[in-house]
Amino acid sequence: MPVDDARPIWVRLVETFRLRIVSGDWPPGSRIPSVRELASGTGVNPNTVQRALAELDRSGLTSTERTSGRFVTADPGVLDRVRRELATGATDTYVTALTGLGLSLESATTLLAERWGTQGSQGDTPCSKGDTL
């Protein structure tokens, strides 16, 4: 995690974990690593990791089963909602940057289509089969 980021670490962890979930790195219904494992892997205090995971529980992305651990939701509605939130944020950033450069919608759309093909994203992402965005 970048040290110069002014946002609290737990907020950055929430963002990282949300992305892992919606990208399929942590598939629906799967058990996610323990607090200790995540703390060790990120170099962050376990209490900070727990705070981030509690936020995921609160948002419905994960749920905790007392003796079994924490699991990713299998609810496609929750996953689609979060995927859309993340996509909207990325799109807003893109639009702001390109309008700031003076690009028209047509130019921006052409650029996006060109770059889409060069990034290896030919519609083969986990959400492409049922895109609801």
Side-chain angles (χ1 to χ4, degrees):
M1 273 186 220
V3 177
D4 61 343
D5 193 331
R7 293 170 303 139
I9 293 171
W10 74 271
V11 171
R12 291 183 274 159
L13 285 173
V14 169
E15 292 170 354
T16 299
F17 297 161
R18 288 175 78 194
L19 186 57
R20 292 184 84 173
I21 291 169
V22 299
S23 71
D25 189 28
W26 290 346
S30 68
R31 184 178 177 280
I32 65 172
S34 70
V35 170
R36 287 183 190 201
E37 291 172 294
L38 291 169
S40 175
T42 59
V44 174
N45 183 297
N47 292 332
T48 304
V49 172
Q50 178 57 41
R51 184 172 182 187
L53 293 174
E55 177 60 23
L56 293 180
D57 283 350
R58 190 193 65 70
S59 72
L61 271 175
T62 60
S63 61
T64 303
E65 296 180 17
R66 255 195 207 286
T67 58
S68 303
R70 183 173 268 115
F71 293 83
V72 174
T73 184
D75 182 341
V78 172
L79 296 170
D80 287 344
R81 175 183 52 82
V82 173
R83 188 175 289 116
R84 182 170 179 83
E85 288 171 7
L86 293 172
T88 298
T91 302
D92 290 349
T93 300
Y94 174 76
V95 169
T96 299
L98 294 185
T99 56
L101 293 171
L103 266 67
S104 67
L105 174 58
E106 182 180 349
S107 296
T109 302
T110 300
L111 178 62
L112 176 61
E114 290 170 2
R115 299 303 300 157
W116 192 275
T118 63
Q119 296 299 315
S121 297
Q122 300 293 327
D124 56 356
T125 61
C127 91
S128 65
K129 292 183 177 112
D131 285 347
T132 58
L133 299 180

